[in-house]
Amino acid sequence: MIKAKKSLGQNFLHDQNIINKIITIKEIEKKNILEIGPGTGNLTAKILKKKPKKFLVIEKDNELANILRKKFNNKIQIINGDILKIEENSLSDETLTVYGNLPYNISTEILSKWILNINSKKIWFNCLILMFQKEVADRIISNFNTNNYGRLTVLANWRLNIKKICDIKPTSFYPKPKVESSLLFFEPKENFFYLKNPKNLEKITRVFFMHRRKMIKKPFNELFNNNFELLSKLGINLNLRPQNLDFETYYQLTKEYENLRG
Ligand code: SAM
């Protein structure tokens, strides 16, 4: 058995029930598939059996990439690279269905990068089926007025509809992680709040959520220079905490920020 590398977040999924569940979430036959971090290829093999049209995988570990080449020969296209350095918009002309039991240490970085790089018109994926550490998943799917609500929640829900498929126990993986996992399903929203550049939403949420327990007076004034007109227009009370502002208010604030900057 291959020795798992902790630095690459390697926890291989071996629970056949979960793997079988993952491949029934979305149709695979004749679709274009991308798998992030296929590892030893447990899920890869099951996806392949369902006869996708095109099947691309991205694996950073050289040793695993070689194993995958031997195992799957030319039936899949293997990119031996780092997903964080790959320009996802240029991976395929047709939209991709994306699977990934993501390495825990970079899972939020991957998701944030994908959201921030979404092209205004065409999105490179039709859905994402991704495994996260449960507490990260709980943050992604949380709602305002809760402690889990934060930057990642506001960012992820801007362009994506998100639902939890299931929680997964550590015993489903080898080596066994210390934490539980959750499988999430993401689909692009048909109607979303138009922003000139999502990086502005990242900036607004970064400043607002810098001090979660403090009132939003300071971040608001830092970004909007005591703009009281805007406060009454958006109905914002500066005595609230960052988690008390709903999604829409953050998107409105970003739009106003973009308009003020021209
Ligand atoms: N999908 C496999 C499974 O479920 O058994 C492995 C999942 S394991 C949690 C994460 C995988 O992502 C590993 O194979 C690891 O080598 C790979 N990986 C880690 N960092 C990566 C990166 N930056 N880019 C691409 N793959 C990466």
Side-chain angles (χ1 to χ4, degrees):
M1 195 175 268
I2 175 137
K3 193 169 181 297
K5 299 181 183 77
K6 222 175 166 182
S7 62
L8 288 173
Q10 292 177 352
N11 296 98
F12 304 112
L13 181 63
H14 63 71
D15 185 329
Q16 293 304 315
N17 290 331
I18 302 292
I19 295 176
N20 287 334
K21 186 171 191 153
I22 294 175
I23 56 165
T24 55
I25 295 169
K26 189 87 184 176
E27 201 182 348
I28 293 174
E29 198 180 340
K30 297 194 183 119
K31 301 288 177 204
N32 299 301
I33 309 292
L34 169 68
E35 188 186 357
I36 310 298
T40 50
N42 295 342
L43 176 63
T44 321
K46 289 274 173 113
I47 293 176
L48 195 58
K49 271 200 181 150
K50 291 209 149 196
K51 299 194 171 47
K53 181 172 159 200
K54 185 166 88 182
F55 191 1
L56 199 64
V57 305
I58 300 175
E59 173 55 64
K60 187 174 177 184
D61 187 334
N62 305 344
E63 196 187 347
L64 287 178
N66 281 332
I67 291 176
L68 292 166
R69 276 190 201 104
K70 284 195 192 114
K71 201 164 169 178
F72 298 106
N73 210 341
N74 53 4
K75 293 193 190 92
I76 61 176
Q77 189 185 332
I78 300 167
I79 301 177
N80 183 195
D82 183 340
I83 184 61
L84 289 172
K85 296 196 177 130
I86 284 171
E87 172 34 47
E88 56 277 1
N89 287 297
S90 62
L91 279 171
S92 167
D93 290 338
E94 294 170 288
T95 58
L96 296 163
T97 301
V98 183
Y99 294 84
N101 171 13
L102 301 179
Y104 291 145
N105 50 345
I106 54 167
S107 62
T108 56
E109 205 179 331
I110 296 172
L111 185 64
S112 305
K113 174 177 179 278
W114 287 352
I115 294 165
L116 293 172
N117 282 345
I118 283 180
N119 273 342
S120 52
K121 292 268 152 21
K122 184 179 159 265
I123 303 192
W124 61 279
F125 58 84
N126 55 63
C127 75
L128 308 171
I129 297 163
L130 302 176
M131 184 98 70
F132 292 88
Q133 186 177 333
K134 183 175 179 299
E135 63 177 43
V136 173
D138 287 345
R139 273 164 48 207
I140 294 172
I141 57 172
S142 67
N143 212 338
F144 73 107
N145 285 336
T146 67
N147 285 337
N148 277 329
Y149 184 71
R151 290 180 63 195
L152 192 60
T153 330
V154 178
L155 203 59
N157 285 273
W158 167 55
R159 286 293 300 261
L160 304 171
N161 286 317
I162 311 167
K163 68 174 188 219
K164 187 197 267 194
I165 306 284
C166 60
D167 291 326
I168 299 168
K169 294 255 168 292
T171 46
S172 296
F173 302 89
Y174 175 83
K176 217 164 62 170
K178 291 197 179 73
V179 291
E180 271 197 63
S181 304
S182 303
L183 189 65
L184 298 186
F185 178 82
F186 305 75
E187 253 176 346
K189 281 184 177 169
E190 279 189 19
N191 297 313
F192 62 93
F193 196 105
Y194 177 78
L195 296 175
K196 282 186 198 151
N197 188 344
K199 293 199 171 72
N200 291 321
L201 177 60
E202 194 208 17
K203 171 157 190 193
I204 298 285
T205 51
R206 176 160 31 87
V207 176
F208 269 82
F209 283 98
M210 189 96 76
H211 302 288
R212 292 190 62 96
R213 285 166 213 278
K214 299 214 171 122
M215 288 184 271
I216 56 172
K217 195 171 178 172
K218 195 163 167 259
F220 179 83
N221 287 337
E222 184 182 327
L223 289 161
F224 296 100
N225 219 350
N226 300 312
N227 186 336
F228 297 115
E229 237 173 76
L230 181 60
L231 277 184
S232 61
K233 182 176 168 190
L234 301 187
I236 295 174
N237 171 354
L238 288 185
N239 294 329
L240 294 174
R241 324 255 162 208
Q243 71 192 46
N244 306 124
L245 299 188
D246 63 11
F247 293 95
E248 191 78 7
T249 304
Y250 280 108
Y251 306 146
Q252 293 276 8
L253 279 167
T254 307
K255 188 175 141 200
E256 297 292 341
Y257 180 81
E258 290 183 336
N259 288 345
L260 287 168
R261 254 132 242 269

